[in-house]
Amino acid sequence: MIFAMDTEKKEIEMKVRSSQACIRDGYQLYSANFRKIFRATWWLAIGFALLAAVAQALPVLISPTLLLPASILAIVAVGLWLAAAKWRLKKLQMLPPVTLRYGSWLAHVGKLLLVSIVCLVIVAALALLTTLPTVILITANWQSQVGMLYGDPSGMPENVKWLSIAVFAIAGFIQAYVWLTMVLPMYLVKISMYMQDKEKEEFNKKTI
């Protein structure tokens, strides 16, 4: 079933939208259909949360020298999560099928970049709020490890590792749906590009 728009339960309109409209309509769709999205993707989000927990645990609980591989793992996890969630939504027919012609992305690169940047800024702001408990725990762990290097007692509970992993996983699960806010605005950009190309093609046929 294709997504419903707001409270009127309208289907996604296959039409040309401005960059602002893609962002606005995309976030409206996401909030109006969050329950459907959650039911369809929660088990995939658990996988992302586990990968995110591992990525955060590597430099915090094992060694700060693992920061680079942890960062790479985190980036890969985000990419896999977005691709898997998008595949799931398409499979359940929550997103209408759209196929762009070759080179269409280059012709609309301005709109694509603008919507991408705005969405990333929103994701960064939301992610900052959801990661505050994680940041506090990371800071406490690092301070404890630095203190132990100078001979001070740990000062952290014995189960701190399991507590940290649990916090990282919960934060990762929440962040999964923060990252997912990008999918619908970007998909509306894709629809807009498809409709613009289609209208241009029909116009060219009429003028021949």
Side-chain angles (χ1 to χ4, degrees):
M1 183 177 181
I2 296 176
F3 279 134
M5 282 290 290
D6 300 329
T7 58
E8 296 182 5
K9 303 299 181 183
K10 295 180 180 178
E11 293 183 350
I12 292 179
E13 294 184 66
M14 299 289 289
K15 66 178 184 179
V16 176
R17 291 177 174 85
S18 65
S19 300
Q20 182 180 356
C22 288
I23 297 169
R24 182 190 64 242
D25 293 351
Y27 281 98
Q28 286 177 351
L29 277 170
Y30 186 76
S31 59
N33 295 277
F34 181 76
R35 289 184 181 180
K36 291 180 182 178
I37 296 171
F38 184 84
R39 285 196 298 266
T41 60
W42 65 268
W43 54 279
L44 292 171
I46 291 176
F48 170 80
L50 294 176
L51 286 176
V54 171
Q56 294 180 69
L58 286 176
V60 176
L61 302 179
I62 299 178
S63 173
T65 59
L66 297 175
L67 182 60
L68 179 59
S71 300
I72 294 174
L73 177 59
I75 293 171
V76 171
V78 170
L80 290 174
W81 157 242
L82 293 178
K86 191 174 178 181
W87 163 80
R88 179 66 175 166
L89 295 178
K90 284 183 177 180
K91 185 177 181 181
L92 296 177
Q93 297 183 341
M94 292 182 177
L95 297 175
V98 177
T99 303
L100 296 176
R101 64 176 175 81
Y102 180 77
S104 183
W105 292 105
L106 293 176
H108 304 276
V109 66
K111 176 184 286 188
L112 181 64
L113 286 175
L114 178 59
V115 175
S116 299
I117 291 171
V118 172
C119 288
L120 284 172
V121 170
I122 294 173
V123 165
L126 293 174
L128 181 62
L129 294 175
T130 59
T131 56
L132 284 178
T134 303
V135 171
I136 293 172
L137 190 54
I138 289 174
T139 302
N141 279 327
W142 276 349
Q143 288 179 342
S144 175
Q145 291 179 17
V146 170
M148 290 174 65
L149 291 176
Y150 288 96
D152 296 333
S154 172
M156 299 292 288
E158 294 181 359
N159 61 344
V160 64
K161 287 188 177 181
W162 294 110
L163 176 63
S164 299
I165 292 173
V167 171
F168 296 157
I170 293 171
F173 189 82
I174 297 172
Q175 289 164 22
Y177 289 96
V178 170
W179 278 104
L180 203 58
T181 59
M182 293 186 62
V183 169
L184 286 170
M186 297 304 299
Y187 204 79
L188 293 185
V189 171
K190 186 177 180 179
I191 290 175
S192 181
M193 293 161 54
Y194 170 79
M195 294 306 298
Q196 281 184 294
D197 292 342
K198 184 178 179 180
E199 290 176 2
K200 184 178 180 180
E201 184 179 346
E202 291 177 352
F203 176 79
N204 291 336
K205 287 181 179 179
K206 290 179 180 179
T207 56
I208 292 177

